[in-house]
Amino acid sequence: MSSALAEVATSTLDEGKLNAFVGRMLGDVGSIMSGVLVLIGDKLGLYKAMADGRPIGPYELARRTGTNERYIREWLAAQAASGYVTYDAESKKYALPPEQAAVFADEGSPVFLAGCFDIASAVWHDEPKITEAFKTGRGVGWHEHSACLFCGTERFFRTSYNHHLVGEWLPALDGVVAKLERGAMVADVGCGHGASTILMAQAFPKSRFYGYDYHEGSIIAARDAAEKAGVSDRITFEVAAAKDYPAKGYDLVCFFDCLHDMGDPVGAAAHVRQTLKADGTWMVVEPFANDRLEDNLNPIGRIYYSASTMLCTPASMAQEVGLALGAQAGATRVMDVISRGGFTEVRKATETPFNMVLEARP
Ligand SMILES: C[S@@+](CC[C@H](N)C(=O)[O-])C[C@H]1O[C@@H](n2cnc3c(N)ncnc32)[C@H](O)[C@@H]1O
């Protein structure tokens, strides 16, 4: 320790505050270290194999999942220390409580969070690229990340789309559901693996859907997913960027969690305006954020600012203009971008803890 630091250490440190912070950091380090075990549990189906909540020992869990018992015993001990499973010392068995099963095992639950761990895996894996970008100021494109980012993003956001998109978000837009029921033209721009496009196509069979993304790998995965979901007859997925996707006179254009990732969101807004019918609607779903940084210093802001540093800001800086809105720009800033693209009516239609839904009309 340098003499200046040693002096600070002895003279100004408040022992109570230091102990509290070190205690908090031990919790954070435990979360980081155990996060990778969640990823393994998810990949190997360990949580799903315990989803019935019945007590189970390492031998039986290893047998059920085709894994090695010694590894499973250590994994279960770590899960118990994390409070993710319970441990009964007498029977030496472990159980996954229903609340934990909802978070780790049930892909259809409204609080399924396993996808976050794929995203975390991608940001740790790609950290050298971002560290270098801090020095050069250059961007790192969405397409330059490891593949688990694309799957993780789909799994994380799909939870919200499953539970809010058709039942709450679309009905919050003026007159859109009636058009979709009658048969509308819809573009889903920056569609990624197409989870949102497929959900809408399933709900509104008379409408025609076009999913666009500049990342070819995502479009290939989206086509495959549409095929599996049995809706490829009413969805076309194409590689196209937000400023040059084909103008087909859409009734609804959707941007799900991607406007802030774009280098030129004002240019994208101007293109959306040209591709919409005169009475069309642009739905912009963005990560939830308050307008002021000081109002986002909470657990969700912590996740989003971190993801924004590693993913969204570099993605935008890799494209033309490089506006780098960030994932916590807030509704006022995003609505200003939309207005500068030529939209005259912009409002916040609804929100959830993770998302805000904006409606823009030409
Ligand atoms: C955070 S992901 C969201 C994906 C998808 N909408 C979802 O909600 O799961 C952002 C997406 O925007 C796409 N993207 C970024 N810049 C783009 C651009 N200029 N034009 C089209 N797509 C873009 C990325 O390839 C990526 O699929």
Side-chain angles (χ1 to χ4, degrees):
M1 199 185 294
S2 76
S3 59
L5 274 179
E7 204 172 302
V8 169
T10 50
S11 65
T12 60
L13 289 187
D14 175 318
E15 207 178 320
K17 285 184 187 165
L18 179 65
N19 286 341
F21 185 63
V22 170
R24 212 199 105 183
M25 282 314 295
L26 289 179
D28 282 5
V29 172
S31 302
I32 292 163
M33 293 301 290
S34 68
V36 68
L37 273 65
V38 174
L39 191 71
I40 290 173
D42 180 45
K43 279 188 178 175
L44 295 177
L46 306 180
Y47 296 113
K48 290 192 172 91
M50 296 178 76
D52 61 10
R54 288 215 288 272
I56 189 168
Y59 170 80
E60 179 57 17
L61 183 57
R63 202 193 55 77
R64 260 192 220 174
T65 54
T67 50
N68 176 276
E69 183 190 353
R70 181 65 191 91
Y71 280 106
I72 290 294
R73 194 165 3 120
E74 215 62 15
W75 182 85
L76 280 168
Q79 298 302 295
S82 293
Y84 297 167
V85 303
T86 57
Y87 175 61
D88 178 53
E90 210 164 296
S91 65
K92 302 208 178 319
K93 288 196 170 176
Y94 303 80
L96 186 69
E99 295 75 19
Q100 275 80 337
V103 170
F104 292 135
D106 179 1
E107 304 248 357
S109 110
V111 290
F112 180 70
L113 289 177
C116 295
F117 295 83
D118 289 309
I119 298 175
S121 167
V123 298
W124 278 91
H125 185 270
D126 299 335
E127 167 275 320
K129 291 180 188 171
I130 304 300
T131 303
E132 191 55 26
F134 267 68
K135 291 188 269 177
T136 62
R138 281 200 287 272
V140 178
W142 183 260
H143 61 283
E144 293 179 68
H145 286 280
S146 26
C148 46
L149 174 64
F150 317 128
C151 300
T153 301
E154 180 199 351
R155 290 176 87 205
F156 173 60
F157 285 118
R158 194 174 48 201
T159 294
S160 286
Y161 304 159
N162 274 342
H163 291 275
H164 302 290
L165 172 54
V166 172
E168 293 164 31
W169 295 350
L170 291 170
L173 307 176
D174 193 17
V176 165
V177 169
K179 286 186 192 172
L180 289 167
E181 280 168 351
R182 281 198 302 272
M185 288 280 284
V186 182
D188 186 355
V189 179
C191 64
H193 283 195
S196 48
T197 337
I198 291 168
L199 269 174
M200 292 190 287
Q202 285 169 328
F204 302 104
K206 290 189 185 158
S207 288
R208 189 78 183 79
F209 296 85
Y210 296 85
Y212 302 112
D213 199 292
Y214 90 111
H215 179 227
E216 187 178 17
S218 288
I219 287 298
I220 291 169
R223 283 183 189 140
D224 194 40
E227 196 75 45
K228 285 195 180 106
V231 288
S232 51
D233 58 325
R234 63 194 92 126
I235 307 182
T236 304
F237 284 111
E238 271 178 39
V239 176
K243 289 200 303 188
D244 59 22
Y245 66 87
K248 292 183 188 286
Y250 304 102
D251 299 285
L252 174 68
V253 174
C254 311
F255 276 45
F256 290 96
D257 195 60
C258 59
L259 184 65
H260 67 275
D261 290 315
M262 293 171 186
D264 183 11
V266 175
H271 185 64
V272 173
R273 199 180 176 291
Q274 283 173 1
T275 68
L276 273 176
K277 285 184 183 155
D279 65 345
T281 301
W282 184 21
M283 173 166 68
V284 180
V285 177
E286 279 287 290
F288 177 83
N290 292 301
D291 287 332
R292 301 184 318 167
L293 185 150
E294 53 269 41
D295 297 326
N296 294 323
L297 303 181
N298 53 53
I300 290 186
R302 185 187 188 195
I303 297 171
Y304 276 143
Y305 278 125
S306 302
S308 185
T309 308
M310 298 301 289
L311 302 167
C312 317
T313 302
S316 176
M317 287 170 73
Q319 297 183 15
E320 72 285 4
V321 182
L323 189 66
L325 275 174
Q328 291 288 272
T332 303
R333 176 90 172 95
V334 178
M335 289 200 280
D336 176 56
V337 161
I338 293 171
S339 302
R340 284 197 283 135
F343 285 84
T344 53
E345 289 175 45
V346 191
R347 69 177 181 106
K348 190 195 277 183
T350 185
E351 66 185 33
T352 66
F354 281 116
N355 289 107
M356 54 192 187
V357 180
L358 308 177
E359 179 191 61
R361 310 290 297 267

